[in-house]
Coordinates of all heavy atoms in Angstrom, one line a residue:
L254 N 40.3 8.8 24.2 CA 39.0 8.7 23.3 C 37.8 8.4 24.2 O 36.7 9.0 24.1 CB 39.1 7.6 22.3 CG 39.9 7.9 21.1 CD1 40.3 6.7 20.3 CD2 39.2 8.9 20.2
K255 N 37.9 7.6 25.3 CA 36.8 7.2 26.2 C 36.6 8.3 27.2 O 35.5 8.2 27.9 CB 37.2 5.9 26.9 CG 37.0 4.7 25.9 CD 37.3 3.4 26.5 CE 37.2 2.2 25.6 NZ 37.4 0.9 26.3
K256 N 37.4 9.3 27.1 CA 37.2 10.5 28.0 C 36.6 11.6 27.2 O 36.3 12.7 27.8 CB 38.5 11.0 28.7 CG 39.0 10.0 29.7 CD 40.4 10.6 30.3 CE 40.9 9.6 31.3 NZ 42.4 10.2 31.8
T257 N 36.2 11.4 26.0 CA 35.7 12.4 25.1 C 34.4 12.9 25.7 O 33.4 12.1 25.9 CB 35.4 11.9 23.8 OG1 36.8 11.5 23.2 CG2 34.9 12.9 22.8
T258 N 34.2 14.2 26.0 CA 33.0 14.7 26.5 C 32.5 15.9 25.9 O 33.3 16.9 25.9 CB 33.1 15.0 28.1 OG1 33.5 13.8 28.7 CG2 31.8 15.4 28.7
N259 N 31.3 16.0 25.4 CA 30.8 17.2 24.7 C 31.6 17.8 23.6 O 31.8 19.0 23.5 CB 30.4 18.3 25.7 CG 29.3 17.8 26.7 OD1 28.3 17.2 26.1 ND2 29.3 18.3 27.9
F260 N 32.3 16.9 22.8 CA 33.1 17.3 21.7 C 32.3 18.0 20.7 O 31.3 17.4 20.3 CB 33.9 16.2 21.2 CG 34.8 16.6 20.0 CD1 36.1 16.9 20.3 CD2 34.4 16.5 18.7 CE1 37.0 17.2 19.2 CE2 35.2 16.9 17.6 CZ 36.6 17.2 17.9
A261 N 32.6 19.1 20.2 CA 31.8 19.8 19.3 C 32.0 19.3 17.8 O 32.9 19.6 17.1 CB 32.2 21.3 19.2
G262 N 31.1 18.3 17.5 CA 31.3 17.7 16.2 C 30.3 18.1 15.2 O 29.3 18.9 15.5
A263 N 30.6 17.8 13.8 CA 29.6 18.2 12.9 C 28.1 17.5 13.1 O 27.1 18.0 12.8 CB 30.2 17.8 11.5
T264 N 28.2 16.3 13.7 CA 27.0 15.6 14.0 C 26.3 15.9 15.5 O 25.5 15.2 16.0 CB 27.2 14.0 14.0 OG1 28.2 13.6 14.9 CG2 27.6 13.6 12.6
G265 N 26.9 17.1 16.0 CA 26.5 17.5 17.3 C 27.5 17.2 18.4 O 28.7 16.8 18.2
K266 N 27.1 17.4 19.6 CA 27.9 17.1 20.9 C 28.2 15.6 20.9 O 27.4 14.9 20.8 CB 27.4 17.7 22.1 CG 27.2 19.2 22.1 CD 28.6 20.0 22.3 CE 28.3 21.5 22.5 NZ 29.5 22.2 22.6
I267 N 29.6 15.3 21.1 CA 29.9 13.9 21.1 C 30.5 13.6 22.5 O 31.5 14.2 22.9 CB 30.9 13.6 20.0 CG1 30.3 13.8 18.7 CG2 31.4 12.1 20.2 CD1 31.3 13.7 17.5
T268 N 30.0 12.6 23.2 CA 30.4 12.0 24.4 C 30.7 10.6 24.1 O 30.0 9.9 23.4 CB 29.5 12.3 25.6 OG1 29.4 13.7 25.8 CG2 30.0 11.5 26.8
I269 N 31.8 10.0 24.6 CA 32.1 8.5 24.5 C 32.1 8.0 25.9 O 32.8 8.5 26.7 CB 33.5 8.3 23.8 CG1 33.5 9.0 22.4 CG2 33.7 6.8 23.6 CD1 32.5 8.4 21.4
D270 N 31.4 6.9 26.1 CA 31.3 6.3 27.4 C 32.5 5.3 27.6 O 33.3 5.1 26.7 CB 30.0 5.6 27.7 CG 29.6 4.4 26.8 OD1 30.6 3.9 26.2 OD2 28.4 4.2 26.6
T271 N 32.6 4.7 28.7 CA 33.7 3.8 29.0 C 33.7 2.5 28.2 O 34.7 1.9 28.2 CB 33.6 3.4 30.6 OG1 32.4 2.8 30.8 CG2 33.8 4.6 31.5
Q272 N 32.6 2.2 27.6 CA 32.6 1.1 26.7 C 33.0 1.4 25.3 O 33.1 0.6 24.4 CB 31.2 0.5 26.6 CG 30.7 -0.2 27.9 CD 29.4 -0.9 27.8 OE1 28.4 -0.2 27.4 NE2 29.4 -2.2 28.1
G273 N 33.1 2.7 25.0 CA 33.6 3.2 23.7 C 32.4 3.6 22.8 O 32.6 3.8 21.5
N274 N 31.2 3.6 23.3 CA 30.0 4.0 22.6 C 29.5 5.3 22.8 O 30.0 6.0 23.9 CB 28.8 3.1 22.9 CG 29.1 1.7 22.4 OD1 29.8 1.4 21.5 ND2 28.4 0.6 23.0
R275 N 28.8 5.9 22.0 CA 28.3 7.3 22.1 C 26.8 7.2 22.6 O 25.9 6.9 21.9 CB 28.2 7.9 20.7 CG 27.7 9.4 20.6 CD 27.8 10.0 19.3 NE 27.3 11.4 19.2 CZ 27.2 12.0 18.1 NH1 27.7 11.5 16.9 NH2 26.9 13.3 18.0
P276 N 26.6 7.7 23.8 CA 25.2 7.6 24.4 C 24.3 8.7 23.7 O 23.1 8.3 23.9 CB 25.5 7.9 25.9 CG 26.8 8.5 26.0 CD 27.6 8.2 24.8
N277 N 24.7 9.8 23.3 CA 23.8 10.8 22.8 C 23.8 10.7 21.2 O 24.0 11.8 20.6 CB 24.4 12.3 23.3 CG 25.8 12.4 22.9 OD1 26.6 11.5 22.6 ND2 26.1 13.8 22.9
V278 N 23.3 9.6 20.7 CA 23.4 9.4 19.2 C 22.2 10.1 18.6 O 21.0 10.2 19.2 CB 23.3 7.9 18.8 CG1 24.6 7.3 19.2 CG2 22.1 7.2 19.6
P279 N 22.3 10.7 17.4 CA 21.2 11.4 16.8 C 20.4 10.6 15.9 O 20.2 10.8 14.6 CB 22.0 12.5 15.9 CG 23.3 11.7 15.5 CD 23.6 10.9 16.6
V280 N 19.6 9.7 16.4 CA 18.8 8.7 15.6 C 17.4 9.3 15.5 O 16.8 9.7 16.5 CB 18.8 7.4 16.2 CG1 17.9 6.4 15.3 CG2 20.1 6.7 16.2
K281 N 16.9 9.4 14.3 CA 15.6 9.9 14.0 C 14.8 9.0 13.1 O 15.2 8.0 12.6 CB 15.7 11.3 13.4 CG 16.6 12.3 14.1 CD 16.0 12.7 15.4 CE 16.8 13.7 16.2 NZ 16.2 14.1 17.5
V282 N 13.5 9.4 12.9 CA 12.7 8.8 11.8 C 12.6 9.8 10.6 O 12.4 11.0 10.9 CB 11.3 8.4 12.3 CG1 10.5 7.9 11.1 CG2 11.5 7.3 13.4
L283 N 12.8 9.4 9.5 CA 13.0 10.1 8.3 C 11.9 9.8 7.1 O 11.4 8.7 7.1 CB 14.3 10.0 7.7 CG 15.5 10.0 8.5 CD1 16.8 9.9 7.8 CD2 15.7 11.5 9.3
R284 N 11.6 10.7 6.3 CA 11.0 10.6 5.0 C 11.7 11.1 3.9 O 12.7 11.9 4.1 CB 9.5 11.0 5.1 CG 9.4 12.5 5.2 CD 8.0 13.0 5.1 NE 7.9 14.4 5.2 CZ 8.1 15.4 4.3 NH1 8.3 14.9 3.1 NH2 8.0 16.6 4.6
V285 N 11.4 10.9 2.7 CA 11.9 11.5 1.5 C 11.0 12.6 1.0 O 9.7 12.4 0.8 CB 12.2 10.5 0.4 CG1 12.6 11.2 -0.9 CG2 13.2 9.5 0.8
N286 N 11.5 13.8 0.9 CA 10.6 14.9 0.4 C 10.5 15.0 -1.2 O 11.2 14.2 -1.7 CB 11.1 16.3 1.0 CG 12.3 16.8 0.5 OD1 12.9 16.2 -0.5 ND2 12.9 17.8 1.2
S287 N 9.9 16.0 -1.6 CA 9.6 16.1 -3.1 C 10.9 16.5 -3.8 O 10.9 16.3 -5.0 CB 8.5 17.2 -3.3 OG 8.9 18.4 -2.9
L288 N 11.9 16.9 -3.1 CA 13.2 17.3 -3.7 C 14.2 16.0 -3.8 O 15.3 16.1 -4.3 CB 13.8 18.5 -3.0 CG 13.0 19.8 -3.0 CD1 13.7 20.8 -2.2 CD2 12.8 20.2 -4.4
G289 N 13.7 14.9 -3.1 CA 14.6 13.7 -3.1 C 15.6 13.8 -2.0 O 16.7 13.4 -2.2
T290 N 15.2 14.4 -0.8 CA 16.1 14.6 0.3 C 15.5 13.9 1.5 O 14.2 14.1 1.7 CB 16.4 16.0 0.6 OG1 17.0 16.6 -0.6 CG2 17.2 16.2 1.8
F291 N 16.2 13.3 2.3 CA 15.8 12.6 3.6 C 15.6 13.8 4.6 O 16.5 14.6 4.8 CB 16.7 11.7 4.2 CG 16.9 10.4 3.4 CD1 17.9 10.1 2.5 CD2 15.9 9.3 3.5 CE1 18.0 8.9 1.8 CE2 16.1 8.2 3.0 CZ 17.1 8.0 2.1
V292 N 14.4 13.9 5.2 CA 14.1 14.9 6.2 C 13.5 14.2 7.4 O 12.9 13.2 7.3 CB 13.1 15.9 5.6 CG1 13.8 16.8 4.5 CG2 11.8 15.3 5.2
V293 N 13.8 14.8 8.5 CA 13.4 14.3 9.8 C 11.9 14.6 10.0 O 11.4 15.7 9.8 CB 14.1 15.0 11.0 CG1 13.6 14.6 12.3 CG2 15.7 14.7 10.8
I294 N 11.2 13.5 10.5 CA 9.7 13.7 10.8 C 9.5 13.4 12.3 O 8.4 13.7 12.8 CB 8.8 12.8 10.0 CG1 9.2 11.3 10.0 CG2 8.9 13.3 8.5 CD1 8.2 10.4 9.2

């Protein structure tokens, strides 16, 4: 698991570092649009 590198996931490419964390996390700032959906801003 800690050797996982560029795994093609639904949330994008996944790499796991030696501590067990994902350095390339997809964190964004969002708002709610008029349809009631979170969208990236």
Side-chain angles (χ1 to χ4, degrees):
L254 282 167
K255 291 182 179 180
K256 293 179 181 179
T257 301
T258 304
N259 291 327
F260 180 91
T264 59
K266 296 288 187 182
I267 298 170
T268 294
I269 303 296
D270 64 22
T271 56
Q272 292 184 301
N274 292 335
R275 179 182 182 178
N277 56 337
V278 290
V280 180
K281 305 292 182 182
V282 177
L283 315 171
R284 65 174 177 84
V285 175
N286 67 14
S287 60
L288 299 176
T290 301
F291 289 101
V292 294
V293 175
I294 58 173

